[in-house]
Amino acid sequence: MKAIINAKAVLPAGVIENCTILIDGEKITAVGQDINLPAGTEVKDAGGNWVGPGFVDIHVHANGRGNQWFSEDPKAVAEYHLKHGTTAINAYLGYDMPKDALIQAARRIQAVIDAGIAPSIYGVGFEGPYINPHEGANTEKNDRCGPDEDEYTQLYEACRGHVLQWMYAPEMDSDGRFGDFLRDHNIVTAVGHTEASPAQIRAAVDKGATIATHLFDAMGCWRGTESIDETGIIQDTAADGCLICPELTYEIIPDSKGIHVKPANMKLTYMLAGPHRVAIVTDCCPCDYDPADYAQPHIRSAQDLNYNEKGELSGSILTMDQAFRNFMKHTGASVTDMFLMAATTPAKAVHIDHLTGSVVPGKYADLVVMDPEFNLVETVFHGKPVC
């Protein structure tokens, strides 16, 4: 038995000062101020620091420094993010991989999951590959013109019938069969990399889509950019279509400079949807350069952004502890809301909230300890400190 005492514990309903969190093995058994500790309990003093749920990142491609999910060692990606507080992670595979390579990558990661080698990986997810060819970086590497039944069936089977999340552009599913497949197999469905009209997004949501992949990023206007010539603004972007669907949870990439999402749009989404429908994600991607090698104001000098060889914004090199602080800075969100958006809401979005995502008895003892400035002090995974 272990106990964390003197914690400023962040629970779904609010903060409890001088709180004790009792842990038996991998699970939380009690949370509160007046807990009698069994004899022999190993006690750790949190020193009045914040203690909240470990982060849940449902959109991760790599560790920012060469290791990717489809590499020979996907465990390295999970371990890197675990040290930055991410105790539950989605191994998200991108749209720029050829069919056979994508299927093999899914099989490799699923084998790691099945073997229990990296228990913080909760499943495989797919960002596409059925995306709008005009929306996203490196889209020229994706030669698909729409869903391929043979491919998506093999991808599903590669994951042994469990895909944590699957994203597609609704307008690319011309006959609706892929959307039907996702619905019929109870797969958590997202919309993204899209120029879908509000009606097309609404149709996807009616089929069961529940997530908007990195809202505002890789989302264009179904009328085309020429609409600005007539109205002065681009009308009916896919982001607008998503924001009017209350069934959706909105992923936000909160980089320090507000490049992926302008601070005003972060705040708009937070105020409109509330913390129960916003999921902070990193979209951490492989980065083949060191930002320290570039002087300001070069675009590659940003410490948490990633650009490809063409100078296109290509995800981030964020970790969740950084993303947490950035979102709080940009929006002024409360501590309780921050932990909801960084852990509880994303866990619920991919249906793992019965296991993790909040400091509640019966769930895994997945915790982060943060100092008063919200710098990460320690990660606890399944009841054990992460070294």
Side-chain angles (χ1 to χ4, degrees), residues 182-204:
L182 297 173
R183 178 197 61 209
D184 295 345
H185 289 81
N186 296 312
I187 295 171
V188 175
T189 301
V191 294
H193 285 270
T194 179
E195 294 177 356
S197 68
Q200 289 171 319
I201 292 171
R202 180 70 256 173

Side-chain angles (χ1 to χ4, degrees), residues 69-70 93 97 100-110:
W69 291 124
F70 53 84
L93 293 173
M97 301 175 67
D100 290 344
L102 186 58
I103 294 168
Q104 288 302 317
R107 287 174 179 159
R108 184 181 301 117
I109 300 165
Q110 189 61 48

Side-chain angles (χ1 to χ4, degrees), residues 60-62 66-75 77 91-98 100-109 141 285-286:
V60 185
H61 296 285
N67 288 301
Q68 304 173 57
W69 291 124
F70 53 84
S71 67
E72 293 301 319
D73 187 18
K75 179 184 176 184
V77 179
Y92 221 31
L93 293 173
Y95 52 79
D96 57 348
M97 301 175 67
D100 290 344
L102 186 58
I103 294 168
Q104 288 302 317
R107 287 174 179 159
R108 184 181 301 117
I109 300 165
K141 294 183 179 180
C285 290

Side-chain angles (χ1 to χ4, degrees), residues 45-370:
D45 192 331
N49 281 320
W50 300 102
V51 180
F55 303 132
V56 178
D57 193 349
I58 59 175
H59 193 130
V60 185
H61 296 285
N63 66 3
R65 287 293 178 264
N67 288 301
Q68 304 173 57
W69 291 124
F70 53 84
S71 67
E72 293 301 319
D73 187 18
K75 179 184 176 184
V77 179
E79 289 182 338
Y80 172 82
H81 288 282
L82 189 58
K83 291 178 180 178
H84 287 275
T86 299
T87 55
I89 198 166
N90 177 24
Y92 221 31
L93 293 173
Y95 52 79
D96 57 348
M97 301 175 67
K99 176 178 177 179
D100 290 344
L102 186 58
I103 294 168
Q104 288 302 317
R107 287 174 179 159
R108 184 181 301 117
I109 300 165
Q110 189 61 48
V112 169
I113 296 170
D114 292 343
I117 295 172
S120 64
I121 305 176
Y122 273 75
V124 179
F126 298 108
E127 187 170 20
Y130 314 117
I131 65 165
N132 189 301
H134 303 297
E135 298 299 333
N138 291 320
T139 55
E140 74 284 352
K141 294 183 179 180
N142 184 346
D143 59 0
R144 300 164 178 86
C145 58
D148 172 352
E149 184 173 5
D150 179 69
E151 180 179 38
Y152 65 69
T153 300
Q154 288 193 62
L155 288 172
Y156 177 74
E157 292 171 349
C159 298
R160 297 169 59 86
H162 174 68
V163 178
L164 197 63
Q165 179 186 355
W166 206 324
M167 183 224 80
Y168 75 113
E171 70 272 28
M172 302 304 293
D173 185 27
S174 58
D175 60 8
R177 292 176 63 186
F178 182 57
D180 292 341
F181 174 87
L182 297 173
R183 178 197 61 209
D184 295 345
H185 289 81
N186 296 312
I187 295 171
V188 175
T189 301
V191 294
H193 285 270
T194 179
E195 294 177 356
S197 68
Q200 289 171 319
I201 292 171
R202 180 70 256 173
V205 171
D206 288 343
K207 282 196 177 185
T210 55
I211 296 173
T213 294
H214 46 50
L215 191 72
F216 297 105
D217 288 298
M219 289 187 167
C221 179
W222 67 282
R223 293 176 174 171
T225 56
E226 65 273 10
S227 65
I228 196 169
D229 296 331
E230 297 180 13
T231 65
I233 59 173
I234 297 175
Q235 297 288 325
D236 292 336
T237 68
D240 298 327
C242 290
L243 283 168
I244 60 175
C245 292
E247 300 91 337
L248 292 176
T249 294
Y250 306 114
E251 292 181 357
I252 294 286
I253 307 170
D255 63 75
S256 58
K257 294 182 178 293
I259 302 299
H260 283 90
V261 184
K262 294 187 297 184
N265 282 340
M266 287 188 214
K267 197 163 189 177
L268 169 68
T269 307
Y270 170 52
M271 293 176 67
L272 177 67
H276 295 283
R277 288 177 51 221
V278 175
I280 296 170
V281 300
T282 63
D283 194 20
C284 188
C285 290
C287 180
D288 61 1
Y289 63 91
D290 186 346
D293 292 338
Y294 295 85
Q296 294 278 5
H298 196 287
I299 59 173
R300 296 196 181 201
S301 66
Q303 295 298 306
D304 57 2
L305 294 173
N306 184 49
Y307 291 88
N308 64 20
E309 65 280 359
K310 296 182 293 183
E312 297 173 326
L313 182 65
S314 185
S316 83
I317 47 176
L318 276 166
T319 54
M320 279 294 284
D321 54 337
Q322 294 173 308
F324 184 104
R325 292 189 297 272
N326 291 345
F327 193 95
M328 179 178 268
K329 178 188 73 174
H330 290 316
T331 66
S334 71
V335 177
T336 301
D337 284 357
M338 285 305 309
F339 276 103
L340 286 170
M341 294 183 286
T344 314
T345 298
K348 185 176 181 181
V350 294
H351 304 164
I352 60 172
D353 53 312
H354 61 295
L355 298 172
T356 192
S358 55
V359 185
V360 173
K363 295 189 181 184
Y364 283 121
D366 294 341
L367 308 166
V368 290
V369 182
M370 305 184 86

